[in-house]
Amino acid sequence: MKEQKPIQIFSNLNDDVGVNVIKSPVKLTILEMLRDSDMEFEEIVNNTGKSKSTVSVHLKSLRESGVISYRVHPVDNRKKIFYLNSKYIGSVNYTEPKEIKETQTDYLVENLINEDAEFSTLLFHTLKSMLIQEGINIDPIMQSTGNRIGNSLFDKLYDEDLEVFMNNIAEFWDAKGLGRISFKIGQIIKITTYDCFECQLLPRTGKPACFLDTGILEALFSQYFKMPVSVIEIQCYTMGDGKCVFEVEPLPIKNY
């Protein structure tokens, strides 16, 4: 049986239009590519393996719904460069095997009312576990939420000395019960979190799960370095590791 792509949901930048649910495999392929980078028409045709007429029809439909848009190539005005004109919210995959055992969710629900358990932590993990169990991917929303939190926190934690700034982050994490942080400063900054609030109680899925933390760190260091940064979680409790490890690296600003 051919693997089915998950349904993806996009929120239009124009609030009057609302959200778009994309089911077409060809459209999903196009949107996956445009989420990585802007692309010319010929590039999209070559990467999808579809005919020009087929790609053209799907691009027209996506433009009319407001999901994508285009600009004229700065060198050759006969060419168009397509880009996302909407925000990726998440996906729903009805065919993906359930990754969470029922006993894991039962444990979280039972302990939600245990006076010895931290209610907010268990509530968070119960909700996230049940969403994953139903095949609903909220990772983009979690990361976007983390971005907003990080932007709000920056002024409170900022210090021009990078080591002091990172110590302030570690103290905040510890004070708020988000985990214990250690770090190593280099060309790539390595941040290690123990007792991670976001993922420690989640089951092992073989995939990183700390998209809220990723979003917070992305916003904090983007503001600190005054340029975009890449934040990649390379180890996680849900991957079978006893800690979460993030790599932070400033990215050069591209001038197209």
Side-chain angles (χ1 to χ4, degrees), residues 63-74:
R63 283 192 291 110
E64 289 176 346
S65 62
V67 178
I68 68 170
S69 188
Y70 71 87
R71 62 179 181 273
V72 176
H73 194 286

Side-chain angles (χ1 to χ4, degrees), residues 160-188:
E160 63 180 12
D161 185 303
L162 179 57
E163 188 164 354
V164 174
F165 176 56
M166 296 192 66
N167 275 321
N168 290 343
I169 294 173
E171 290 175 5
F172 177 85
W173 242 250
D174 185 56
K176 299 300 181 182
L178 302 178
R180 296 177 291 110
I181 281 183
S182 65
F183 56 86
K184 183 178 180 181
I185 298 176
Q187 186 173 357
I188 296 177

Side-chain angles (χ1 to χ4, degrees), residues 42-65:
E42 293 294 340
E43 290 180 291
I44 296 173
V45 171
N46 291 336
N47 282 281
T48 57
K50 301 295 181 181
S51 67
K52 290 185 178 181
S53 59
T54 297
V55 171
S56 181
V57 168
H58 286 295
L59 289 174
K60 183 175 184 292
S61 175
L62 289 169
R63 283 192 291 110
E64 289 176 346
S65 62

Side-chain angles (χ1 to χ4, degrees), residues 5 7-8 11 37 45 63 122 143 157 174 208 242 253:
K5 285 181 176 289
I7 296 169
Q8 295 185 10
S11 174
S37 64
V45 171
R63 283 192 291 110
L122 286 167
Q143 188 159 343
L157 303 179
D174 185 56
I253 298 176

Side-chain angles (χ1 to χ4, degrees), residues 20-242:
N20 283 282
V21 179
I22 309 299
K23 299 180 182 180
S24 162
V26 178
K27 287 181 180 177
L28 289 172
T29 299
I30 293 171
L31 292 173
E32 285 172 1
M33 293 189 297
L34 293 181
R35 279 167 54 195
D36 292 332
S37 64
D38 301 350
M39 299 183 75
E40 296 178 20
F41 176 75
E42 293 294 340
E43 290 180 291
I44 296 173
V45 171
N46 291 336
N47 282 281
T48 57
K50 301 295 181 181
S51 67
K52 290 185 178 181
S53 59
T54 297
V55 171
S56 181
V57 168
H58 286 295
L59 289 174
K60 183 175 184 292
S61 175
L62 289 169
R63 283 192 291 110
E64 289 176 346
S65 62
V67 178
I68 68 170
S69 188
Y70 71 87
R71 62 179 181 273
V72 176
H73 194 286
V75 178
D76 187 346
N77 59 17
R78 295 171 300 176
K79 296 181 178 180
K80 296 175 181 177
I81 300 173
F82 294 88
Y83 61 90
L84 277 182
N85 193 42
S86 55
K87 185 176 182 181
Y88 174 57
I89 296 179
S91 63
V92 180
N93 190 340
Y94 293 109
T95 62
E96 184 176 277
K98 293 184 178 181
E99 297 174 324
I100 296 180
K101 296 179 180 178
E102 296 292 339
T103 53
Q104 178 70 23
T105 304
D106 290 344
Y107 164 79
L108 291 169
V109 173
E110 289 171 5
N111 282 275
L112 192 59
I113 59 173
N114 186 332
E115 62 181 7
D116 295 327
E118 180 65 36
F119 182 86
S120 59
T121 301
L122 286 167
L123 178 62
F124 174 83
H125 286 96
T126 299
L127 175 61
K128 192 167 184 179
S129 294
M130 296 184 75
L131 288 171
I132 295 172
Q133 184 174 319
E134 294 303 320
I136 300 174
N137 174 20
I138 60 168
D139 296 341
I141 295 176
M142 297 299 296
Q143 188 159 343
S144 178
T145 301
N147 287 156
R148 296 184 67 177
I149 295 171
N151 286 328
S152 298
L153 284 174
F154 180 74
D155 289 339
K156 297 178 182 179
L157 303 179
Y158 175 73
D159 190 281
E160 63 180 12
D161 185 303
L162 179 57
E163 188 164 354
V164 174
F165 176 56
M166 296 192 66
N167 275 321
N168 290 343
I169 294 173
E171 290 175 5
F172 177 85
W173 242 250
D174 185 56
K176 299 300 181 182
L178 302 178
R180 296 177 291 110
I181 281 183
S182 65
F183 56 86
K184 183 178 180 181
I185 298 176
Q187 186 173 357
I188 296 177
I189 299 170
K190 184 170 287 188
I191 300 174
T192 302
T193 304
Y194 299 92
D195 303 325
C196 178
F197 160 83
E198 188 172 359
C199 73
Q200 191 179 23
L201 293 181
L202 294 177
R204 294 184 181 183
T205 62
K207 303 175 184 178
C210 301
F211 289 89
L212 183 69
D213 285 355
T214 296
I216 295 174
L217 294 173
E218 186 177 65
L220 288 173
F221 285 98
S222 291
Q223 288 210 52
Y224 181 86
F225 290 114
K226 295 182 174 59
M227 65 173 62
V229 300
S230 165
V231 179
I232 300 175
E233 186 177 15
I234 60 172
Q235 291 181 256
C236 186
Y237 282 96
T238 56
M239 297 168 69
D241 304 306

